[in-house]
Amino acid sequence: MKSLRLWLLLSTALVAALFAFGGFGRRHEASSEQTLRTDPPRSEPAPVVTAESIAPSPAPTPAAPARAEPGSAASLQQLPRWDVPLDQAVPRLRELADAGNVDAQLELTNRLHVCTAFAQRQAEQADERDRKSTAGDEDDRRLTESSRAIRVKNAQRRIDMNGAARTACEKLPADLKASWLDSLERAAQSGNAAAMRSYAILAIEQYDSVNAIVADVDNAIAGRDKARAYLLEALRRGDAESLAELADAYSEQTSGKPQLFAADPAQSYVYAYAGSLTRGLPPIRYNNFEWILSESAKSLDAHQLADAQARGRRIYEQCCSQR
Amino acid sequence: MRRQAILAGSVIVVLAAALAWRSASQIGHRPAATNENLSATPPPAASARPAPEAGHQATASTTRPASESLDERPFAEVRAELERLADAGDAHAALRLGRTLSQCNGHVPTTDAQLEELVVNFSASGASISLGGREQAPEALLEMIKLSAAQKKLDCKNFVGLDEKNANVQALRWIERSAALGNADAQALYGSLAFSSYTARSALADAEGVRERKQRAADYVQKSLAQGDALALLEIYKSYSAGTLYPANAEAAYAHLYAYSLTPRASEIAPQLLERTLASGAEKLDPQSLQRARDEGARLATCCGGNPAEAP
């Protein structure tokens, strides 16, 4: 019976994945945080010889002078508060973004992301889950009345928020919504490494099913290539968080989100090893590096392992040893 | 184990039925097709022509493929011979190999009572199936599974015993060979199998390969249509529904499915399944679009032995 249930779950996942037509990929959990965060200013690192070279690399243009530094209080204070409704926040963000405010460029993409077809599908599915969960709670005797009420309230709040976002998105011009990634790319082109990394994640998130890729294959190729180039460029500029993304992108064990590269345990190990040597990353990153190192190592013999460690150390020394 | 196998077969065949319902939430949001959209429909054969016998090779030949004499014999018994013939250039043999491997691998015949029990247990376990983002009620799920099982019965004629891990890869190889040899059915079916070996990850990593296969699939289905093969109409319908080979277009999808329903090959689909699929497609169209799609479907059907005069 247990195995039957497992199979049923797998069947459900299979059917859903095949037929939801791109509706089941998860929005990258860290995307919002990553989009919002900008790197502190740092001196230009020496060029890095990465494990592979992908050409052509995007050519960032020099950042505009005499502007508040990205991530600085002066820059962030100009942005609309997070709770300003979308249709009111967007005009101000566009204005700031057009003036070259990198934080506004990042935030504009972040706010418009909710209007993408992908995010809207995700929201619809989340609403469905919340409704189902609320209905299921009615018969769940393990819940107390108060906890049931809290769960209902929270679910309804999420549903209402998604509904409000849908309404707000409807008010925005179609061309603005279609070009939601443009401001992020402008930030990336100005040399902002966090923007490059975020771009690498967001540009491919809609390609979470074979059908989605077949249907839009030319754009998928263009988006994938640009995303790869930006991610490697971010690393070249010393963005240590890119090591985590690259380790994940090559890992055989992934969370189900679209990946930029075919699985390659050796490459995954190289980047995870470089990441594990790097100081100052959030603790969760180190847990992830450890897990990837452990999983990737299973596919590598002693010689490959030693080689991967040597390559990982070189990358660390070139990109991130000065942190 | 047996129950697992039964459900495995059932859920897999649900995929075929699901095609009838799946696009409701996807395609329904898209703007209704315009005449311009419809004109983007792949050009059908220019004029009505007699439909060739299913699966016959395009190259006019008075000699029948050697493998036809094996058609009534069990697959397992003649498989080695089919493979030998297919390797020697028999497109009919390659088609049978490809179709059987893709459609009947893992197939386990089921009774309605077994399916009902499975769905009851499935629902009782708290699991559910969502199609197009919408959770399916147990009754709807049971209906889909039953219709799909009926279709599987037609496709496999209760053929059992094939259980191979890489069946889709083998199937694609044979279908590709048959299509290259000019078999119209194989050319129509190529697009259904061309991407089956990909995961989302491998498809993105090898998107150039996906693009090549997509182009080949689009070329083949047109060649199949030009040969007057009604199966091409069905495959084009699927592509318009899913938005894969062609941009999603509910009106063009309906037109091709309707056209297929007017051809003799419509008998290869379980009647209720075809009816339900047509009804589902019609629900997405306003009355004018529906009429336009039916008119277009009647015109398209003439390519492939369809008789518009018999249109419902």
Side-chain angles (χ1 to χ4, degrees):
Chain A
M1 196 59 198
K2 197 173 176 183
S3 60
L4 175 61
R5 282 195 186 136
L6 178 62
W7 197 93
L8 289 170
L9 289 171
L10 290 171
S11 311
T12 307
L14 170 70
V15 172
L18 284 172
F19 285 92
F21 196 53
F24 281 78
R26 284 196 298 276
R27 178 180 172 180
H28 195 272
E29 288 167 5
S31 61
S32 170
E33 174 261 337
Q34 286 167 336
T35 303
L36 280 169
R37 188 175 53 246
T38 54
D39 278 351
R42 63 161 66 87
S43 58
E44 188 76 2
V48 168
V49 178
T50 54
E52 68 286 290
S53 65
I54 291 183
S57 199
T61 52
R67 233 173 245 138
E69 286 294 342
S72 67
S75 170
L76 293 171
Q77 277 171 2
Q78 296 178 57
L79 307 185
R81 273 171 50 98
W82 66 271
D83 54 353
V84 172
L86 185 65
D87 54 333
Q88 294 168 31
V90 163
R92 173 66 178 151
L93 287 170
R94 288 181 80 179
E95 187 184 317
L96 291 168
D98 288 345
N101 182 317
V102 170
D103 289 315
Q105 291 166 348
L106 296 169
E107 179 66 357
L108 182 56
T109 286
N110 191 44
R111 296 293 296 263
L112 288 174
H113 178 266
V114 73
C115 300
T116 62
F118 176 81
Q120 296 273 304
R121 277 202 307 276
Q122 298 286 80
E124 281 171 20
Q125 286 157 16
D127 289 354
E128 185 80 24
R129 283 194 298 274
D130 273 332
R131 287 192 196 96
K132 187 185 173 193
S133 167
T134 300
D137 282 358
E138 287 173 14
D139 302 322
D140 192 338
R141 292 181 182 173
R142 293 169 301 179
L143 295 173
T144 63
E145 278 306 314
S146 63
S147 62
R148 185 176 291 120
I150 290 169
R151 282 168 60 83
V152 168
K153 192 177 171 185
N154 285 340
Q156 192 55 50
R157 190 174 57 187
R158 288 191 293 269
I159 291 170
D160 291 345
M161 283 173 66
N162 286 339
R166 269 190 285 276
T167 305
C169 289
E170 284 168 9
K171 294 179 187 171
L172 296 177
D175 59 341
L176 176 64
K177 287 184 280 189
S179 58
W180 67 285
L181 264 177
D182 288 2
S183 67
L184 182 62
E185 188 166 15
R186 283 169 63 190
Q189 284 175 341
S190 74
N192 186 284
M196 295 177 189
R197 177 167 23 91
S198 289
Y199 188 94
I201 295 163
L202 293 174
I204 61 163
E205 71 168 7
Q206 63 187 300
Y207 301 116
D208 62 343
S209 72
V210 175
N211 268 5
I213 294 161
V214 174
D216 193 27
V217 66
D218 290 329
N219 287 326
I221 290 171
R224 177 203 65 190
D225 289 349
K226 200 184 278 188
R228 285 176 175 174
Y230 272 133
L231 191 54
L232 291 172
E233 176 65 15
L235 180 63
R236 196 188 71 77
R237 288 171 170 259
D239 179 51
E241 297 257 0
S242 296
L243 291 170
E245 295 301 334
L246 282 159
D248 195 38
Y250 280 109
S251 172
E252 285 183 314
Q253 314 291 329
T254 61
S255 58
K257 66 177 183 174
Q259 296 292 349
L260 282 171
F261 302 99
D264 184 335
Q267 286 290 79
S268 186
Y269 192 97
V270 165
Y271 288 115
Y273 190 75
S276 72
L277 298 174
T278 303
R279 286 170 299 169
L281 289 169
I284 193 171
R285 292 295 199 191
Y286 295 105
N287 294 339
N288 199 37
F289 289 140
E290 198 175 311
W291 184 79
I292 288 177
L293 287 172
S294 158
E295 288 298 313
S296 303
K298 292 175 187 170
S299 309
L300 306 175
D301 62 27
H303 175 76
Q304 291 169 320
L305 212 51
D307 180 60
Q309 286 175 359
R311 288 160 63 203
R313 179 167 288 281
R314 276 201 301 276
I315 288 176
Y316 158 73
E317 284 166 357
Q318 290 169 334
C319 85
C320 307
S321 59
Q322 301 304 312
R323 281 171 64 92
Chain B
M1 274 309 288
R2 179 165 169 74
R3 297 168 82 192
Q4 277 182 269
I6 291 168
L7 189 60
S10 302
V11 174
I12 289 167
V13 294
V14 158
L15 305 186
L19 198 61
W21 287 274
R22 64 177 290 268
S23 49
S25 63
Q26 304 292 334
I27 311 298
H29 296 308
R30 295 175 195 276
T34 61
N35 281 330
E36 286 75 10
N37 288 344
L38 261 185
S39 69
T41 299
S47 58
R49 73 189 71 186
E53 190 177 337
H56 272 189
Q57 288 174 250
T59 46
S61 169
T62 52
T63 56
R64 298 167 74 83
S67 58
E68 273 197 15
S69 64
L70 306 176
D71 279 357
E72 298 307 316
R73 292 175 59 190
F75 179 76
E77 201 176 285
V78 299
R79 182 175 182 177
E81 178 65 359
L82 287 172
E83 288 178 352
R84 189 188 66 76
L85 289 168
D87 281 335
D90 185 328
H92 185 77
L95 174 69
R96 186 172 174 198
L97 284 162
R99 284 192 94 151
T100 305
L101 283 161
S102 70
Q103 294 179 338
C104 304
N105 192 52
H107 173 56
V108 179
T110 52
T111 63
D112 280 0
Q114 285 174 316
L115 296 177
E116 282 161 19
E117 186 192 346
L118 284 164
V119 170
V120 166
N121 290 339
F122 180 78
S123 302
S125 73
S128 64
I129 285 183
S130 293
L131 298 174
R134 291 182 183 175
E135 193 175 306
Q136 300 298 300
E139 296 77 14
L141 183 60
L142 180 60
E143 187 194 359
M144 280 193 286
I145 289 179
K146 280 184 175 176
L147 286 177
S148 302
Q151 182 59 42
K152 201 56 130 180
K153 242 176 224 176
L154 270 178
D155 288 341
C156 299
K157 296 186 175 66
N158 286 330
F159 172 88
V160 291
L162 194 60
D163 189 15
E164 298 184 14
K165 280 184 180 172
N166 61 346
N168 269 346
V169 175
Q170 293 183 66
L172 176 60
R173 183 167 74 85
W174 290 121
I175 289 290
E176 196 161 16
R177 178 159 182 77
S178 183
L181 289 165
N183 183 283
D185 272 8
Q187 289 173 338
L189 291 169
Y190 175 80
S192 284
L193 283 172
F195 312 107
S196 59
S197 60
Y198 281 110
T199 62
R201 179 184 201 154
S202 64
L204 190 58
D206 180 34
E208 288 82 359
V210 168
R211 182 165 57 187
E212 273 178 33
R213 289 189 186 192
K214 180 178 178 177
Q215 185 57 55
R216 197 176 307 142
D219 290 345
Y220 271 147
V221 81
Q222 289 305 308
K223 285 182 178 172
S224 176
L225 195 63
Q227 292 195 65
D229 191 336
L231 203 52
L233 294 169
L234 187 62
E235 295 303 317
I236 293 171
Y237 149 74
K238 289 179 187 174
S239 286
Y240 273 124
S241 291
T244 46
L245 300 186
Y246 310 114
N249 183 325
E251 188 175 327
Y254 186 90
H256 283 84
L257 182 63
Y258 186 73
Y260 174 77
S261 75
L262 299 177
T263 70
R265 305 244 355 221
S267 64
E268 293 174 17
I269 299 287
Q272 279 183 307
L273 179 58
L274 184 56
E275 190 181 311
R276 185 69 181 81
T277 309
L278 278 165
S280 174
E283 283 170 10
K284 296 170 204 132
L285 302 174
D286 61 43
Q288 291 79 18
S289 306
L290 183 59
Q291 188 54 53
R292 211 164 44 229
R294 283 189 172 141
D295 292 344
E296 176 67 2
R299 188 186 72 77
L300 289 167
T302 59
C303 73
C304 312
N307 185 358
E310 290 178 4

